[in-house]
Each structure stands twice: as C-alpha cells, then as structure tokens.
Amino acid sequence: MKVLQWVFLAEKQLMMEGLCHALSVDPDSSNNEFERDNFPSETSLISYCLGLVILNEGTTIIRLVHKSLQDYFDTEYKKGQLFAGGHKDIVLICLTYMNFNYPDSEHLECADIPEFAEKTLKDYAFLDYSDSSVDVNDQFKRGASSLVLTTIPNHEHILYQLQRIEIDINSQDGYRETALVMAATKGHTDVVRLLPEREDIDVDLKGGESYSALLGASYNGHEDIVRLLLERNDVDVN
C-alpha cells in the first residue's frame, strides 16, 4: 500500500530509484545517516502491487496502470477511505531525507560546489523530488501543517530544518492547532525552546481549543515550559 500511496499522492513524476530511496526512510529514527541497507528491490515493488503499477515504457517512471484506477483512488481518497494521513507521511519522509548528513559536504571550496551538487543528486536519487515537492506553507495543510507535524517526539531535527527556510511559523492545521500550542500542551520542551527563536512568532495565538501555549502548558503541569514562556516580554499572562 505504501507504493500505491506514493504513486497516487506524488506531486510530480516518481522515478523507481527515487521511490526505493523514499521507502527506505524511517522518519522516527534518530539516525541522520542514510541507510542503503534498507533498500527494497525494484522487482519486489512492482510484484507486491499485483499489476496496479507499471513502469513507463523506455523509462524508470513508475505510475498507476490505468486512469480508471487513478479515478477510483481519487474518489475513495476524497471520502477519507483511502490513504488517510498520506500527505503527512510524505512530508515527514521528504524532510527527513533532506536532513540527512550527506558525505563530503564540509569544507567545500566555492569551485567544488557544482560538482558536489551533481554527484549528490546522482547518489541520493530522492533528493531532487523531496527538495522540489515540499510546499511547507500550503500543500500539507490537508490535515496537519508541516510545522505541527514536527511537534511529534523525535522530529526536532526536522523543525530546525524548517525554521531555516521561508515558512509561516504561525500556520495552523485543519483543527486550527499551532505548532507552539501543541508542543507546549504536550510538554515538548525542546520544540518550545526552538520555535520562539523566530521573531515573527505569535506566542499568544490560540489553538483549536481556544487556549494559548502558556495556558496549555500550565493546565498540563509542564512547569519548565511555563518558565520558558514567561521569560519572554511579549507573553500575555492574562
């Protein structure tokens, strides 16, 4: 089902090698090194799907076997019967892949950068897809914003990656939750420490239950987070 989910929800054409890379990624792992030992074989990916996916003739592009299957998946997806949470899975895998420690990237001279970039894109086949397909401000608001996803434990490294790019730090998911409110309510101290580093964050913005990060932390007894928030001079204690 993971193969079908990727092929159906992909924002652009998927190459077989890139899909193998994506399927080998574990977003819950704290290991920032890409593990090639986890690769599925290309033959097994096709056979497991029982003829529902094929490779375009003469290429390595993987796609659904027929438009009628695409239409069926689209109908079931819109009814919430198929691939629920699929976009959340995809964004975590894309961001995890972008956050890997790529070898030989330190101490590069300017003249070496183009050659390094070309080699990296060749060796890490999913990098081109993940880097160009993650729209962190729009695409993944179909259930949960990418920032809210980073408040899940062990995803602080992805949050750091997101904060380095242009993103709406106050974005809300389908339930009007914000990353800061959710992290404060759940007691994720490291996330609460990172988020307010952005000058444009609204620390008093209320979440889906109409309470702020400070109230959420206080109600759930997270004293360390309460202290962190009270250190700021822009927090409304009322």
Side-chain angles (χ1 to χ4, degrees):
M1 288 299 288
K2 288 184 178 181
V3 175
L4 295 175
Q5 175 175 281
W6 269 101
V7 175
F8 172 67
L9 295 177
E11 293 297 319
K12 68 175 189 178
Q13 289 180 329
L14 266 177
M15 303 297 182
M16 174 60 83
E17 186 180 6
L19 179 59
C20 289
H21 281 231
L23 292 172
S24 70
V25 174
D26 179 8
D28 294 320
S29 173
S30 59
N31 185 6
N32 277 3
E33 303 295 334
F34 183 49
E35 298 287 347
R36 294 182 181 271
D37 294 339
N38 296 332
F39 269 24
S41 71
E42 296 183 6
T43 303
S44 65
L45 292 188
I46 297 293
S47 62
Y48 289 160
C49 292
L50 303 175
L52 296 180
V53 297
I54 59 173
L55 292 179
N56 272 354
E57 185 176 354
T59 74
T60 61
I61 298 172
I62 187 169
R63 65 174 177 84
L64 296 176
V65 67
H66 195 270
K67 185 180 182 301
S68 60
L69 181 60
Q70 176 81 27
D71 293 341
Y72 170 75
F73 281 173
D74 189 53
T75 299
E76 296 302 302
Y77 176 73
K78 288 178 179 177
K79 292 192 297 186
Q81 301 298 314
L82 195 63
F83 306 133
H87 282 287
K88 292 184 286 185
D89 295 338
I90 288 174
V91 72
L92 283 177
I93 288 173
C94 286
L95 291 170
T96 300
Y97 196 87
M98 287 190 290
N99 198 55
F100 282 138
N101 293 326
Y102 297 104
D104 305 321
S105 60
E106 296 184 1
H107 311 300
L108 281 174
E109 299 292 339
C110 289
D112 298 329
I113 292 177
E115 182 180 352
F116 170 76
E118 182 178 356
K119 182 178 186 302
T120 301
L121 287 173
K122 181 180 179 180
D123 292 343
Y124 297 89
F126 188 61
L127 194 58
D128 180 60
Y129 179 93
S130 58
D131 187 45
S132 62
S133 296
V134 178
D135 183 342
V136 293
N137 284 321
D138 177 58
Q139 177 182 346
F140 298 101
K141 284 188 177 179
R142 308 174 192 183
S145 74
S146 50
L147 264 178
V148 168
L149 287 171
T150 65
T151 66
I152 301 171
N154 302 323
H155 292 146
E156 290 88 348
H157 63 292
I158 298 178
L159 172 61
Y160 179 75
Q161 177 84 357
L162 280 171
Q163 290 216 100
R164 296 165 55 196
I165 59 180
E166 188 174 340
I167 185 173
D168 180 5
I169 202 72
N170 302 305
S171 63
Q172 295 174 296
D173 67 5
Y175 303 99
R176 295 181 54 244
E177 293 291 357
T178 70
L180 182 60
V181 170
M182 184 174 288
T185 301
K186 293 181 178 293
H188 299 160
T189 307
D190 289 340
V191 176
V192 175
R193 186 176 288 110
L194 277 171
L195 281 169
E197 290 181 1
R198 282 278 294 266
E199 294 181 358
D200 54 341
I201 192 167
D202 183 354
V203 293
D204 292 320
L205 187 63
K206 293 180 173 57
E209 299 296 328
S210 298
Y211 53 75
S212 65
L214 180 60
L215 180 58
S218 301
Y219 182 81
N220 289 282
H222 303 308
E223 296 181 7
D224 52 344
I225 293 179
V226 172
R227 285 192 293 269
L228 274 174
L229 293 171
L230 289 178
E231 288 175 359
R232 298 178 61 94
N233 57 16
D234 57 347
V235 173
D236 183 2
V237 297
N238 299 312

